Amino acid sequence: MKILVTGGAGYIGSHACVVLAARGHEVVVVDNHSNSSPQVLTRIAQLTGAPVVASTVDLRDAVGLARLFAEHRFEAVMHFAALKVVADSIARPQEYESNNVGGTASLLAAMKQASVSRLVFSSSAAVYDATASIQVGEDAPLGAGHPYGQSKLSCEHLIAQQANETADFHAVNLRYFNPVGAHPSGLLGEDPHGTPTNLMPYVSQVAVGQRARLPIFGDDYATPDGTGVRDYLHVMDLARAHADALDFLVRERRSLTANLGTGQGVSVLELVQAFERVSGRAVPYDIVARRAGDVAALYADPSLAQRVLGWRAELDLEAMCRDAWHWQSRNPQGYATS
Ligand SMILES: NC(=O)c1ccc[n+]([C@@H]2O[C@H](COP(=O)([O-])OP(=O)(O)OC[C@H]3O[C@@H](n4cnc5c(N)ncnc54)[C@H](O)[C@@H]3O)[C@@H](O)[C@H]2O)c1
């Protein structure tokens, strides 16, 4: 199939491009590079053995998007493009509404206009009320505590509306837990701008010597070692789930919302120790105050994805740390080095 991948130069989208190409799909990337380097496209091409067709367009640019849909006959869209940093969303709520919700509305309009009827959407565990449950199924209470999560919920609503109004339009919302790791080649990985707000890139930057020490936000939670417990998921497993979601849309012609996680909780200290083991590097840390809004533990019930998509996470914590380290040690400055 010919697939439009929005945000295809980003962390998760780039890995998805490689997996989709390996399954025989043709991908076209649209990205405004607000949070990615065009260098990523060269890396994807290195891995797939073919140049990447890509367009630098902001999704809110209706004219640019219409041109793209006129140039290509897409059979499906994978929609990764969004801003994703919780703290940033609290500082700039309107930008998150405009970029994430406005971008999705614009994309949906272009899809409708061009009669493209399959969509896989990057949603997030951030849509759930994190204070309500520890292991979260899709029917857990919703209620994002910040503009980023709210923007994802609004996108899910817009998508549901399009599915209700348009015969044959079907979408899979994938609610990711905590994607980590990198392509095993070390050519693709997570390259956050500035200080990382996610744990794994922070840990790898400390291990590689870019940052001195890791701050751990609280060690007095009601968890086995006192640090926060989350559900980390290898980005290659996550990328594979997108190809499986596409197969589901073709096969079943209906919409779906599914969690993606391993179903296993891992504490901050467990992750740090696993990273030290696989990298052979020390990761010195400081215990600092809890972060506002953080909960003790949150992990997925991923059984629906297993039942309906036939997908389950296969790569363990060792593989997540090993591949994150391989990426970081080959690219100490991220894509900027190349
Ligand atoms: N990484 C995570 O921890 C995580 C967790 C849950 C959900 N998600 C979701 O997964 C998706 C991908 O996340 P990621 O980690 O790869 O992020 P990322 O920032 O690495 O990738 C997003 C890409 O989208 C592009 N983009 C952003 N706004 C755009 C716009 N208006 N028009 C065109 N391109 C635009 C950026 O330049 C970037 O390349 C996002 O929707 C995010 O909300 C991510």
Side-chain angles (χ1 to χ4, degrees), residues 6-14 30-37 57-60 79-84 98-100 103 121-126 148 152 174-180 190-191 198 238:
T6 81
Y11 170 44
I12 303 167
S14 58
V30 59
D31 202 302
N32 65 3
H33 298 297
S34 58
N35 196 39
S36 56
S37 157
V57 173
D58 188 296
L59 289 188
R60 292 164 291 181
H79 178 28
F80 296 93
L83 300 172
K84 60 164 184 180
S98 163
N99 192 79
N100 294 3
F121 172 61
S122 300
S123 191
S124 168
Y148 166 65
K152 288 284 157 182
L174 296 174
R175 291 180 178 159
Y176 317 158
F177 278 64
N178 299 275
V180 295
E190 189 171 8
D191 182 20
N198 286 343
L238 181 53

Side-chain angles (χ1 to χ4, degrees), residues 295-315:
V295 293
L298 193 71
Y299 49 96
D301 173 354
S303 54
L304 181 68
Q306 192 179 336
R307 253 188 348 267
V308 182
L309 300 180
W311 174 91
R312 70 183 308 162
E314 287 169 0
L315 297 164

Side-chain angles (χ1 to χ4, degrees), residues 231-303:
D231 186 335
Y232 298 97
L233 160 75
H234 198 297
V235 67
M236 292 305 291
D237 276 335
L238 181 53
R240 179 168 49 82
H242 289 74
D244 293 343
L246 188 59
D247 292 347
F248 166 89
L249 285 171
V250 171
R251 186 175 68 239
E252 304 213 10
R253 301 166 68 90
R254 65 183 173 97
S255 293
L256 175 76
T257 295
N259 287 340
L260 295 178
T262 62
Q264 309 281 320
V266 169
S267 77
V268 175
L269 282 179
E270 281 172 329
L271 187 144
V272 168
Q273 284 154 8
F275 198 96
E276 289 185 323
R277 250 189 336 269
V278 302
S279 66
R281 297 284 182 100
V283 179
Y285 61 82
D286 297 309
I287 305 292
V288 300
R290 290 179 177 196
R291 242 179 350 191
D294 275 356
V295 293
L298 193 71
Y299 49 96
D301 173 354
S303 54

